Amino acid sequence: MRVYATYNIKGGVGKTTAAVNLAHLAAQDGLRTLLWDLDPQGAASFMFRVKPRVKGGGRALIRGSRTLDDAIKGTDFDGLDLIPADFTYRNMDLLLGGARKPTHRLARLLAPLAASCDAVFLDCPPSISLVSENVMHAADVLIVPLIPTTLSVRTLDQLTGFVARFDGHRPRILAFLSMADRRKKLHREMTQELSTERAVVSPTTIPALSVIERMSVERAPVTVFAPRSQAARAYRSLWSDLRALEPVAPPAGGPGGKRGGQSTLVQ
Amino acid sequence: MTPALGGFAVAGDAAPAWDRAMTDVMSALRSAFTTVPERTASRAQRRTWLDTFDWRLYRAGLRLEYVAGELRLAGAASASAASAASATGATTADGAALTRQHVTGWRPARPRLAESLPPGPVRDRIIRLASPRALLPVATVSSTVTVTRLLNDDGKTVARLLTTRASVAGADLPPRLSVAEVRGYPGQARKAARIVALATGVSPAVGDGFAEILGALGRHPGDYSNKVDAEITAHMPAGRAAAVVLLRLLDTLEANVDGVLADIDTEFLHDLRVSVRRTRSALKLLGDVLGDSVPGEPGRRYHDEFKWLGDLTTPTRDLDVHLLGFGAMAAGLAAARPADLEPFRAFLARRRARERRALARGLRSARFRVLTEDWRKTLLEARDAGVRRRAERRTAAGLAADRTGRAFRRVVRQGAAITGSSPDESLHDLRKRCKELRYVLEFFAPLHQPAAYGKVVGDLKRLQDCLGEFQDTHVQIEEIRALAGAMLAEGAVPAATLLAMGETMAGLASRQRAARAEFEQRFAAFAGPGGRRRMSVLLAPAAGDPE
Ligand SMILES: Nc1ncnc2c1ncn2[C@@H]1O[C@H](COP(=O)(O)OP(=O)(O)OP(=O)(O)O)[C@@H](O)[C@H]1O
Ligand SMILES: [Mg+2]
């Protein structure tokens, strides 16, 4: 089982969009895939037309009085299941705070799924919180959408540094440029610069495309309703970058090392 | 995907009725759901159901299918769940009962010895049951599964309707329906299943559909068995019962001819030989009641002709026995190496090929055809004459008691005369008498009370096994001696091979001695006071001709 989490401290950068499309591609590849919508706003649940409601709420799941298994809903797609969002997730920090080893609670809850899942996607709300720290400990790979701005580069460096200080299990980071607009000069320059200077940045960029915005109207992954679109191709390329990642995180190092040789993703 | 809920069959015997029922189902479902076709196209599949000629897997409650490069074995308990699962290509919660094994280059239309299956979980589960038989295609079913998604008000798929349309040998089978649950929406699937169940022209599916498939082929499961299982009753006139038994034996004999000619597996010849031996015993023990047509000259002719047929099959069968036991024989060598015997195996295989050609010529000959045709005509006359001559007082039950009693007394008499110094032939003779007794018991098995029958046959079988071991080892020793001579005559034989054959003979000889030592005890168990009492219990009701 490999756990992926889409994460960025910032809102509206394309986390949910990425999680939804990548999860669908994983299932299409034959992986038994589960997407957990951790955002109380339930954007991912909405995309899959699943009601944002979990019996017993977040409390039952975090406390373990209900298993995650119980909360799982099948999506319309073979091999892709979902744990819906719930309004009570907005108190998730409090719930986690009450647990033993509060930063590793999610990792523990996910462990039993290893027998029935090949890929888990966690879609996080934007914040720095106990939830996001839990997600970082649970994830094998953090997928970080970056809007091409100078500020987001700093955010990425901070995140890399933060994760590098973890003891033991340390997630890999794969950032990608999200909503890049080729018509904007700044975007073009940032894209160029980031993908050459930061080894944790994927060579794949997800451009800003109106077909992606249509997902919330279609209520389906773009890889479903427009499988041959540029958008779907871009997500497929991102997914193959993710699959190509080595399973083990590289040894701790400074934030965002320089790229060396041919290798594009490895620090 | 999740387990299918409830299988349904569409009633009616032709496409228009099925279409009406399907229209009905869909409109009923539309009252509760939005229905849309699944995004992916319907899936076509060819499944070939495999079994041995004598239905060993079916009788053991197993279903073996070949589907797209894979063997799938389903156990009895979950046969329907498993076939629903294989119809949709889905792994279900019940899928655990399904054993799967990938096979490459398998052509399901070709018979293939169970023995020759590559190692794997399916082979492990069936090899002891199926060996030494071949797996044959029983039926090939082409099916298409069409999936309809059932949506709720959010446009979310909450259940699926699976429609399986299948055909076998060009004939369409009634569609089957099932509802597949979407995880987390069990109530919706139940609701859909209730709606389907209430639609007109739909009924719960019985079984897993294989009965219909065989029906379309004009067959029924278990339609071949090497058991006598003649349809006789206690009150049937004796002559008619005898004719019915013999007709059944003739059917079995003929059913095996094609398999022998195609050399599919060794059991065809074995069953054919048993039918011939049973026929010869029946002629001897019951021939007199067949009416005027058999006793006298015609009877002698059939006696001679069936002896010819039996003798025709002997050389091939003897070689089969050697070859079937070869592995065990080689493994049992203490001094010689198994590889030393390989030239012997090759020699046996060459001989067998030659003998089999002679056998095939015989089975394709006019002599064989005339024999079976005349014999059938004679038996049909005897059977129907039995009806006309109702005046004949003797019933099947009376005949059974009389002939079984006689055969038993002969066994007791001959066996009692055997002492430690009796010649081997006396045991061989007794074996023949035991076979006759066994056959006459089997001919009339439907008239006997099963528990009493089981006890008598059990004791008899143990005695027969002992006598069989004694004689078979004797015959094999003689044969190996003769074969060694023949091999030498043909050319150079490695000394190691001859030595290994000698060791094999020594092993057989010690088994033969052990069988002889066991004889007395086995005979006493069967023919002593206890055995005699069991036999009289068995024959009592028949002899009294109840009702
Ligand atoms: N590549 C893109 N091109 C055009 N629109 C996009 C693209 N990616 C995302 N969007 C749109 O941007 C909005 C925010 O995207 P999304 O919900 O994926 O971001 P998020 O990071 O999950 O947001 P939040 O932090 O609120 O959870 C959505 O309306 C989405 O349709
Ligand atoms: Mg989001």
Side-chain angles (χ1 to χ4, degrees):
Chain A
M1 182 174 80
R2 209 160 188 201
V3 180
Y4 300 91
T6 49
Y7 176 75
N8 194 318
I9 184 170
K10 283 189 59 176
V13 296
K15 297 186 292 293
T16 301
T17 309
V20 163
N21 287 305
L22 293 171
H24 176 250
L25 290 170
Q28 260 190 348
D29 270 4
L31 302 182
R32 295 165 301 171
T33 305
L34 177 69
L35 169 59
W36 189 355
D37 183 359
L38 286 164
D39 186 341
Q41 298 197 61
S45 308
F46 177 84
M47 290 296 182
F48 287 109
R49 301 167 186 261
V50 176
K51 295 203 167 56
R53 203 157 50 231
V54 169
K55 268 196 210 128
R59 173 183 301 265
L61 289 185
I62 301 301
R63 293 243 171 119
S65 59
R66 269 174 198 280
T67 62
L68 291 189
D69 230 43
D70 260 5
I72 293 176
K73 299 279 184 186
T75 68
D76 284 14
F77 310 101
D78 251 1
L80 178 54
D81 290 339
L82 178 99
I83 302 181
D86 191 276
F87 195 52
T88 59
Y89 287 0
R90 71 191 193 285
N91 301 322
M92 188 89 92
D93 268 8
L94 284 177
L95 293 167
L96 288 166
R100 231 167 43 81
K101 286 192 92 182
T103 54
H104 289 72
R105 184 68 195 147
L106 283 188
R108 269 191 76 153
L109 288 173
L110 289 170
L113 294 175
S116 55
C117 277
D118 303 313
V120 174
F121 287 83
L122 304 174
D123 185 33
C124 291
S127 65
I128 299 190
S129 60
L130 195 47
V131 178
S132 52
E133 209 175 329
N134 258 277
V135 163
M136 288 177 212
H137 283 292
D140 299 301
V141 182
L142 289 178
I143 304 167
V144 184
L146 293 180
I147 304 287
T149 63
T150 332
L151 191 64
S152 45
V153 178
R154 275 193 48 215
T155 320
L156 175 62
D157 289 345
Q158 282 168 355
L159 178 64
T160 318
F162 181 67
V163 165
R165 286 191 293 277
F166 281 9
D167 288 334
H169 177 87
R170 207 176 293 129
R172 303 203 56 155
I173 292 176
L174 187 70
F176 68 93
L177 287 161
S178 179
M179 306 186 186
D181 190 341
R182 294 231 248 123
R183 285 163 306 186
K184 291 188 185 157
K185 186 156 176 281
L186 172 69
H187 278 201
R188 279 202 310 276
E189 285 169 7
M190 286 297 306
T191 307
Q192 187 62 36
E193 198 181 311
L194 264 174
S195 53
T196 45
E197 290 196 351
R198 293 293 183 288
V200 297
V201 178
S202 160
T204 302
T205 294
I206 307 290
L209 292 164
S210 61
V211 69
I212 295 181
E213 281 173 281
R214 245 178 57 213
M215 280 174 62
S216 50
V217 181
E218 298 277 347
R219 297 183 75 177
V222 70
T223 47
V224 168
F225 69 83
R228 274 183 265 282
S229 61
Q230 188 194 351
R233 277 204 309 276
Y235 280 114
R236 271 196 291 274
S237 161
L238 182 57
W239 173 234
S240 55
D241 295 343
L242 283 163
R243 287 208 87 169
L245 280 187
E246 300 290 325
V248 187
K258 294 269 191 249
R259 169 170 311 186
Q262 297 283 76
S263 163
T264 48
L265 301 177
V266 182
Q267 267 183 290
Chain B
M1 243 194 261
T2 32
L5 262 196
F8 303 97
V10 172
D13 45 7
W18 302 337
D19 291 347
R20 269 197 306 281
M22 286 306 298
T23 311
D24 218 65
V25 167
M26 295 314 290
S27 70
L29 284 171
R30 275 194 287 272
S31 67
F33 304 96
T34 305
T35 61
V36 296
E38 184 57 281
R39 292 182 186 83
T40 50
S42 50
R43 280 162 292 190
Q45 197 172 60
R46 275 167 74 83
R47 296 184 289 151
T48 302
W49 177 15
L50 303 165
D51 208 333
T52 64
F53 185 66
D54 53 357
W55 303 89
R56 291 185 184 189
L57 303 182
Y58 177 84
R59 283 182 220 278
L62 298 172
R63 288 272 192 289
L64 179 63
E65 285 179 306
Y66 171 85
V67 189
E70 188 180 70
L71 290 173
R72 296 179 183 168
L73 183 71
S78 69
S80 63
S83 89
S86 65
T88 62
T91 12
T92 71
D94 313 58
L98 202 63
T99 310
R100 291 151 165 255
Q101 179 178 338
H102 278 282
V103 283
T104 47
W106 180 287
R107 273 187 278 168
R110 285 254 186 101
R112 177 161 174 169
L113 289 180
E115 196 68 45
S116 75
L117 278 182
V122 169
R123 184 188 204 272
D124 289 349
R125 278 196 65 194
I126 64 168
I127 189 68
R128 290 191 48 195
L129 195 60
S131 221
R133 295 229 72 149
L135 298 171
L136 310 174
V138 176
T140 294
V141 182
S142 308
S143 59
T144 315
V145 183
T146 312
V147 182
T148 307
R149 295 192 289 140
L150 309 179
L151 313 181
N152 66 8
D153 292 342
D154 290 326
K156 168 83 180 74
T157 307
V158 289
R160 287 182 175 84
L161 177 73
L162 311 181
T163 309
T164 307
R165 291 177 189 267
S167 66
V168 59
D172 287 337
L173 301 170
R176 285 197 164 219
L177 305 175
S178 62
V179 174
E181 193 178 305
V182 173
R183 186 163 185 186
Y185 300 88
Q188 300 294 314
R190 280 198 298 273
K191 180 166 145 191
R194 271 197 306 275
I195 291 172
V196 174
L198 289 173
T200 32
V202 170
S203 54
V206 185
D208 53 13
F210 278 121
E212 284 96 327
I213 292 166
L214 282 184
L217 293 169
R219 298 182 62 182
H220 62 88
D223 57 11
Y224 175 83
S225 150
N226 59 6
K227 295 224 162 52
V228 181
D229 279 340
E231 288 182 8
I232 55 170
T233 59
H235 303 292
M236 204 179 246
R240 180 171 181 170
V244 167
V245 167
L246 280 157
L247 276 166
R248 162 83 189 157
L249 296 175
L250 179 58
D251 288 343
T252 307
L253 189 163
E254 289 183 336
N256 282 289
V257 171
D258 288 345
V260 172
L261 290 175
D263 201 17
I264 291 171
D265 64 43
T266 55
E267 296 310 283
F268 287 96
L269 181 59
H270 174 261
D271 283 7
L272 186 146
R273 274 169 66 78
V274 170
S275 302
V276 172
R277 273 206 306 268
R278 281 174 173 159
T279 299
R280 294 177 65 196
S281 294
L283 261 173
K284 176 176 169 187
L285 299 169
L286 315 174
D288 62 305
V289 300
L290 281 174
D292 315 323
S293 45
V294 173
E297 184 50 38
R300 267 196 300 285
R301 178 189 151 213
Y302 287 123
H303 169 272
D304 293 347
E305 288 302 283
F306 278 110
K307 177 167 187 328
W308 162 75
L309 182 55
D311 291 347
L312 179 69
T313 61
T314 300
T316 307
R317 176 63 193 171
D318 285 348
L319 291 160
D320 280 346
V321 171
H322 276 296
L323 284 164
L324 286 170
F326 203 92
M329 185 162 84
L333 289 172
R337 286 189 303 265
D340 294 344
L341 280 174
E342 278 313 312
F344 182 42
R345 191 210 292 265
F347 179 78
L348 288 172
R350 278 199 305 278
R351 277 242 150 166
R352 180 180 183 278
R354 196 166 75 216
E355 293 298 350
R356 223 190 59 76
R357 282 195 293 277
L359 168 63
R361 275 196 300 279
L363 290 178
R364 290 199 177 102
S365 68
R367 184 174 180 182
F368 177 72
R369 187 170 38 82
V370 170
L371 166 62
T372 49
E373 282 172 8
D374 287 0
W375 183 228
R376 185 172 293 279
K377 223 176 296 160
T378 302
L379 291 175
L380 288 172
E381 270 164 29
R383 186 187 70 186
D384 300 336
V387 179
R388 280 196 296 280
R389 296 182 304 141
R390 267 193 189 280
E392 194 199 87
R393 291 243 356 250
R394 176 139 37 191
T395 61
L399 182 68
D402 179 50
R403 302 301 153 92
T404 312
R406 267 202 237 174
F408 181 62
R409 285 192 296 276
R410 266 202 301 272
V411 168
V412 172
R413 201 171 338 109
Q414 283 195 19
I418 292 175
T419 66
S421 58
S422 300
D424 288 356
E425 281 66 37
S426 60
L427 277 90
H428 302 338
D429 264 356
L430 180 63
R431 185 190 186 194
K432 285 190 197 141
R433 300 290 86 73
C434 285
K435 270 191 178 155
E436 285 170 2
L437 172 59
R438 177 78 174 272
Y439 291 157
V440 79
L441 281 163
E442 286 170 351
F443 297 157
F444 297 112
L447 310 185
H448 293 305
Q449 199 260 324
Y453 177 81
K455 278 189 197 134
V456 167
V457 169
D459 284 344
L460 176 56
K461 187 174 175 313
R462 277 182 288 277
L463 174 58
Q464 283 184 288
D465 286 348
C466 172
L467 290 167
E469 171 88 351
F470 180 73
Q471 188 175 9
D472 291 345
T473 48
H474 172 82
V475 169
Q476 276 185 287
I477 289 169
E478 293 308 313
E479 276 178 2
I480 292 175
R481 198 192 307 281
L483 289 166
M487 285 171 81
L488 271 177
E490 252 189 27
V493 192
T497 301
L498 290 175
L499 286 170
M501 289 168 73
E503 192 190 330
T504 302
M505 283 170 70
L508 289 165
S510 94
R511 274 169 54 194
Q512 192 191 9
R513 276 194 303 280
R516 172 102 201 204
E518 220 174 53
F519 166 72
E520 207 170 322
Q521 191 196 335
R522 293 286 171 90
F523 181 75
F526 176 68
R532 279 202 290 268
R533 195 168 53 249
R534 283 191 285 279
M535 182 58 91
S536 61
V537 168
L538 180 73
L539 298 183
D545 211 351
E547 291 155 82

